[in-house]
Amino acid sequence: MALQIFLSVLTTSWISLIFLTTGDMFRKKVRYHCDTLIEKLIISTSLGFGISGLLIMSLNFARMASANNIILFCIILTLICLPRWIRFSRTLRNFHTLLPRMKLLKSTTTINFFYLFLPLFLFFLYFLRTLLPPSGFDALMYHLSCAQLYLDHGGFYNIFFNPQADFPMLTEMNFMIGLAFNNDLICRQISFLTECMGVGALVLFCRTLLLNWNEVCIAVATLLTLTVTIASVSTCDVDFAMAAWIALSVYTLVKIVDQQRSKQIIIPAFFAGMAMSTKIFGVFVLPTLLFLLLYKKKVSTGKLIPVIAIPLMMGSLWYIKSYIHKGTLLSINRSLIESQGLGLPMGFDIHNQFLHFVTNVVLRTVIAPWTFTLFPSQHQQDSFGPFFVALLPFVVLTKLSSESKLMITLAGIYLSCILLMEMVFIPGGSSIRYSLVLPIFLIPVCLTTLKDMKFIHNSIVTILRFFLLIQIALGSIHLIKRYHQDWIALLTLQDRDRYYSHLLPQYPSIRYINTIPEECTILTLYNYDNYLIKKQYISAYRHYTNKDDLFMDLKKHSVSYIFANNVFDTSSNASAFADLDKTTVFSQNGFYVYKVNNTVSPPSRGSRVADLF
């Protein structure tokens, strides 16, 4: 495990340097100017990340995305970047003369050690989690499992049993680098890199609002201790990556418009395309950017067309891929949508349905500050914390700068898109992770408000600042407590098998499946750890009318074993599975492995992906 950790850190550093260099080459090609070294690092690394993802995606389209080809791809990029690395190494010989000209911070403010220590300590904790195998729900269900299947198959194909395979997967394309090296710790570290870019976007916004570096450190610590951040960082999820690309698209567009450099409009458009290529909800970057152009009164054909066309072209590639391989743009579970509906009683006429919808829209909008902060029942229990609500009255009363007003308005535009999406498609509420860009927009405004509240007594300002520090402290404690098993695993140098055994109750069943001697196909039911299964597998993907219908489908896909949990007999397919001729061969912790009797001969290949797909 120690060797794997060392190699992962070394490889991720190499890949990050490739991202930085290729992105910097692209940035210089379009003549986008960065004012500080920090801005250059953030913008260039993010651009390089997007370029790498698009190139690996093209390998998948060409069915050339094997492990050897992806490693060769990294070597080719290294050779392209090598002359720049050599030139840079030469400049390091005169580092003492170079440093004053680098404009690292562009500030004369002395950074207090306490303010600097807090975000660095939090970054260190998050980085430590990347030294352990991936264990997040979504990561094992589709972020890594789909990337692994594409790698095994050499490119895109119809993963018919996993509807999430139809989602945009720009970040997962770069995860394939780690999987090509057979080291998924690299995937977690690449994910951590994208989250650093999101924090970097927050830093750029803070500097735009003229916050000093002590206040920037507080802003970073605030973001890193939100419960939604704690649940999302270092997990191979892509929500933070989407938030980073949206924030950087806004930052670069504001800068380009203010400096009247319309020829560089490709930079924010490319970031917007990265957002749309990362997650479905990245499409909400378009109304955000369009409103920004309207707000700045800079709407012209030269700006409007690239801002719309480039993101749409980049995002549409993923839906074209789905249409080519599956014949649909997105896999939609109709029965699930119909069962959720709008919660309307039977017999409601159209007029009453419309009134119900309008009422729901108004109420959901009014209570949004509460559901996103204090009462996250609609957002999977993670939240933005109480500080934003506590400061809201003072934000209204404070005379804000035009930049602060713009940030609040853009946050409102994005939040409106999320709420509208929930009301139409997800009445029960969506995950708050889809809205991670909001604190990146709002935290700088909140700290600016605390700084400029001269109309009230100093004691109230002190109380609010103390309240913010308390929230940061409690969030830090929550981070340590939530992942206590990770710290124990690192301190005791647990290997992968022992780590998963302590963390995942279903892992003993998975371990049994991986030791089945014969070639076989596994059907997973209501279990979402597909990435850990080393046998060929499919997931339950349809409703069966009876046991014969089920058996014929199992026969079609050469399924010999079923992996199920303790809701096996309470699903919509309960009767079909109950009547199926099967034998329990393993059970532990409420998870079961069944052998299907009288099934067909197993497939001839033992890889995860069979030719029949």
Side-chain angles (χ1 to χ4, degrees):
M1 189 70 178
L3 178 61
Q4 186 185 30
I5 290 174
F6 173 76
L7 292 177
S8 71
V9 174
L10 193 64
T11 306
T12 304
S13 301
W14 166 43
I15 298 302
S16 300
L17 199 56
I18 291 175
F19 291 161
L20 171 62
T21 309
T22 54
D24 195 56
M25 293 167 62
F26 177 61
R27 179 188 64 81
K28 290 181 177 178
K29 191 71 175 178
V30 298
R31 298 180 181 179
Y32 178 88
H33 174 71
C34 295
D35 298 325
T36 64
L37 178 61
I38 287 181
E39 181 183 1
K40 184 182 295 185
L41 291 174
I42 295 166
I43 299 297
S44 298
T45 303
S46 300
L47 290 173
F49 183 92
I51 293 169
S52 172
L54 289 176
L55 291 175
I56 295 176
M57 180 184 67
S58 64
L59 289 178
N60 278 273
F61 270 117
R63 303 295 294 276
M64 297 173 59
S66 65
N68 290 336
N69 285 344
I70 289 179
I71 293 173
L72 179 62
F73 161 79
C74 294
I75 294 173
I76 292 173
L77 286 184
T78 300
L79 295 176
I80 294 173
C81 298
L82 193 58
R84 288 177 174 264
W85 296 349
I86 294 173
R87 287 197 300 269
F88 180 72
S89 65
R90 290 172 180 170
T91 62
L92 291 179
R93 298 174 185 175
N94 301 315
F95 187 72
H96 64 284
T97 60
L98 177 68
L99 188 60
R101 295 184 282 117
M102 290 176 71
K103 292 197 257 184
L104 178 64
L105 302 179
K106 199 179 179 182
S107 174
T108 58
T109 305
T110 302
I111 302 179
N112 185 287
F113 175 76
F114 170 76
Y115 293 126
L116 180 62
F117 170 78
L118 189 55
L120 290 179
F121 174 69
L122 294 169
F123 270 120
F124 178 68
L125 291 180
Y126 283 120
F127 175 74
L128 285 180
R129 295 197 63 231
T130 69
L131 306 181
L132 292 168
S135 57
F137 181 89
D138 287 355
L140 299 180
M141 178 172 67
Y142 68 96
H143 291 308
L144 292 178
S145 63
C146 289
Q148 182 68 63
L149 288 172
Y150 290 142
L151 185 69
D152 291 342
H153 202 264
F156 294 138
Y157 76 107
N158 180 16
I159 307 179
F160 65 93
F161 52 85
N162 194 332
Q164 284 82 9
D166 288 340
F167 292 171
M169 288 192 171
L170 180 71
T171 305
E172 288 85 343
M173 295 297 98
N174 285 314
F175 287 169
M176 291 180 72
I177 297 174
L179 298 177
F181 284 97
N182 196 28
N183 191 335
D184 50 22
L185 302 187
I186 298 172
C187 303
R188 291 194 74 164
Q189 290 159 22
I190 289 176
S191 176
F192 178 71
L193 178 66
T194 66
E195 289 139 9
C196 290
M197 296 303 100
V199 174
L202 172 71
V203 171
L204 296 179
F205 282 130
C206 288
R207 296 301 294 159
T208 300
L209 297 182
L210 303 178
L211 294 174
N212 63 47
W213 281 101
N214 291 327
E215 294 162 338
V216 170
C217 290
I218 291 295
V220 171
T222 302
L223 178 63
L224 293 178
T225 52
L226 300 180
T227 58
V228 63
T229 304
I230 293 170
S232 303
V233 173
S234 304
T235 61
C236 288
D237 287 347
V238 300
D239 306 277
F240 219 110
M242 181 187 72
W245 314 145
I246 293 175
L248 288 175
S249 68
V250 168
Y251 173 81
T252 52
L253 184 59
V254 169
K255 184 174 179 178
I256 287 169
V257 169
D258 288 344
Q259 296 179 356
Q260 298 181 351
R261 296 183 177 181
S262 58
K263 292 182 180 180
Q264 302 166 354
I265 199 73
I266 189 175
I267 296 292
F270 186 77
F271 279 132
M274 288 175 63
M276 291 185 62
S277 300
T278 299
K279 205 172 181 71
I280 293 176
F281 309 110
V283 70
F284 298 147
V285 70
L286 290 181
T288 306
L289 295 183
L290 291 177
F291 179 85
L292 173 57
L293 290 174
L294 290 172
Y295 182 88
K296 292 286 188 177
K297 299 179 181 179
K298 298 291 184 179
V299 178
S300 64
T301 305
K303 295 185 180 69
L304 201 59
I305 292 179
V307 166
I308 295 177
I310 292 176
L312 286 178
M313 285 190 295
M314 291 176 63
S316 64
L317 292 174
W318 298 98
Y319 305 105
I320 292 173
K321 181 265 294 183
S322 296
Y323 187 79
I324 291 173
H325 293 286
K326 190 174 291 188
T328 59
L329 296 182
L330 282 174
S331 295
I332 299 176
N333 189 331
R334 293 178 180 272
S335 61
L336 179 62
I337 294 176
E338 292 170 359
S339 66
Q340 287 184 347
L342 288 174
L344 300 176
M346 294 298 293
F348 258 44
D349 56 27
I350 298 299
H351 178 262
N352 286 338
Q353 290 184 24
F354 176 75
L355 290 178
H356 184 276
F357 178 76
V358 171
T359 303
N360 189 37
V361 168
V362 173
L363 292 178
R364 186 72 68 88
T365 304
V366 170
I367 65 174
W370 297 96
T371 58
F372 278 77
T373 56
L374 297 178
F375 303 106
S377 59
Q378 293 178 334
H379 305 287
Q380 299 184 5
Q381 305 309 309
D382 291 312
S383 72
F384 294 147
F387 179 72
F388 295 101
V389 172
L391 197 64
L392 184 60
F394 302 100
V395 172
V396 174
L397 296 174
T398 303
K399 185 177 180 181
L400 300 174
S401 64
S402 59
E403 291 84 0
S404 295
K405 292 178 181 177
L406 176 60
M407 300 292 289
I408 293 175
T409 306
L410 293 178
I413 295 294
Y414 186 86
L415 178 61
S416 300
C417 294
I418 289 290
L419 291 175
L420 182 62
M421 178 269 296
E422 287 184 354
M423 294 163 194
V424 176
F425 298 107
I426 317 176
S430 63
S431 173
I432 199 172
R433 291 181 287 113
Y434 307 156
S435 306
L436 263 168
V437 72
L438 296 181
I440 296 178
F441 286 154
L442 296 177
I443 287 175
V445 177
C446 290
L447 292 182
T448 302
T449 301
L450 281 177
K451 186 177 181 180
D452 297 337
M453 285 196 314
K454 301 176 181 178
F455 59 92
I456 61 174
H457 199 274
N458 287 338
S459 60
I460 299 179
V461 178
T462 302
I463 291 173
L464 289 172
R465 290 176 177 172
F466 182 72
F467 180 45
L468 176 58
L469 292 177
I470 290 294
Q471 178 174 303
I472 292 173
L474 293 176
S476 303
I477 296 171
H478 176 61
L479 169 62
I480 295 171
K481 178 181 179 298
R482 181 166 182 159
Y483 299 114
H484 67 280
Q485 289 183 311
D486 288 4
W487 319 132
I488 294 173
L490 288 168
L491 289 173
T492 57
L493 299 177
Q494 292 180 6
D495 60 19
R496 177 179 294 260
D497 189 74
R498 186 180 173 194
Y499 173 69
Y500 279 136
S501 297
H502 288 166
L503 192 67
L504 303 175
Q506 64 272 35
Y507 185 71
S509 299
I510 296 174
R511 183 168 51 198
Y512 174 84
I513 289 171
N514 292 336
T515 58
I516 295 174
E518 71 264 25
E519 304 286 352
C520 60
T521 300
I522 313 297
L523 175 69
T524 63
L525 288 172
Y526 326 117
N527 298 294
Y528 305 101
D529 302 319
N530 295 339
Y531 171 71
L532 300 179
I533 298 176
K534 304 306 179 183
K535 294 287 185 178
Q536 179 179 295
Y537 68 87
I538 64 172
S539 299
Y541 66 100
R542 50 162 291 196
H543 173 73
Y544 301 104
T545 56
N546 52 51
K547 70 169 184 176
D548 295 328
D549 185 22
L550 169 61
F551 185 78
M552 290 303 296
D553 194 58
L554 297 182
K555 183 178 180 180
K556 174 184 175 182
H557 297 296
S558 304
V559 171
S560 305
Y561 292 86
I562 296 176
F563 175 34
N565 61 16
N566 53 13
V567 298
F568 185 81
D569 295 325
T570 61
S571 69
S572 59
N573 288 316
S575 59
F577 285 115
D579 297 334
L580 183 69
D581 185 12
K582 60 188 183 298
T583 303
T584 304
V585 294
F586 184 87
S587 66
Q588 189 171 333
N589 302 331
F591 294 86
Y592 305 85
V593 180
Y594 298 93
K595 179 148 185 14
V596 181
N597 300 321
N598 302 319
T599 189
V600 297
S601 300
S604 59
R605 294 179 59 186
S607 63
R608 296 190 192 198
V609 184
D611 292 333
L612 57 90
F613 298 147

